[in-house]
Amino acid sequence: MPTISLRVPETELDIFKAYAKHNNTTLSEIIRVAMLEKIEDEYDLKVFEEYETEKQAGTLKTRPINDLWKELEL
């Protein structure tokens, strides 16, 4: 598995280590999960902004939820 180096102030490293210890996990896992959550949050915000833009422009395409249930055979 590849390795990434990260330079942080000693005080921040102490906080990261304490957080990892408190959550009974590794520092690597804490950083990996935090980065993935950050990426997911930014993606969600982008999708929401696109939704709002389409909604305001009147170009948003919607359909009844019952149509989706039928399509998914639920």
Side-chain angles (χ1 to χ4, degrees):
M1 186 176 304
T3 301
I4 297 173
S5 295
L6 179 66
R7 294 182 188 275
V8 296
E10 192 70 33
T11 54
E12 290 178 7
L13 179 59
D14 292 342
I15 293 168
F16 298 160
K17 285 181 178 179
Y19 184 81
K21 184 176 181 180
H22 176 75
N23 288 282
N24 196 32
T25 190
T26 65
L27 185 54
S28 292
E29 181 69 8
I30 292 294
I31 293 170
R32 188 184 68 78
V33 168
M35 285 301 303
L36 289 172
E37 287 176 356
K38 173 72 171 164
I39 292 167
E40 181 181 0
D41 289 348
E42 287 185 14
Y43 175 78
D44 289 346
L45 181 57
K46 180 181 180 232
V47 169
F48 177 74
E49 288 171 346
E50 290 172 357
Y51 163 83
E52 285 295 315
T53 299
E54 290 179 12
K55 183 177 170 184
Q56 289 178 1
T59 60
L60 182 65
K61 295 179 183 177
T62 62
R63 60 184 180 163
I65 192 68
N66 288 334
D67 291 355
L68 175 63
W69 298 145
K70 287 178 187 175
E71 182 181 317
L72 296 174
E73 298 179 0
L74 296 175

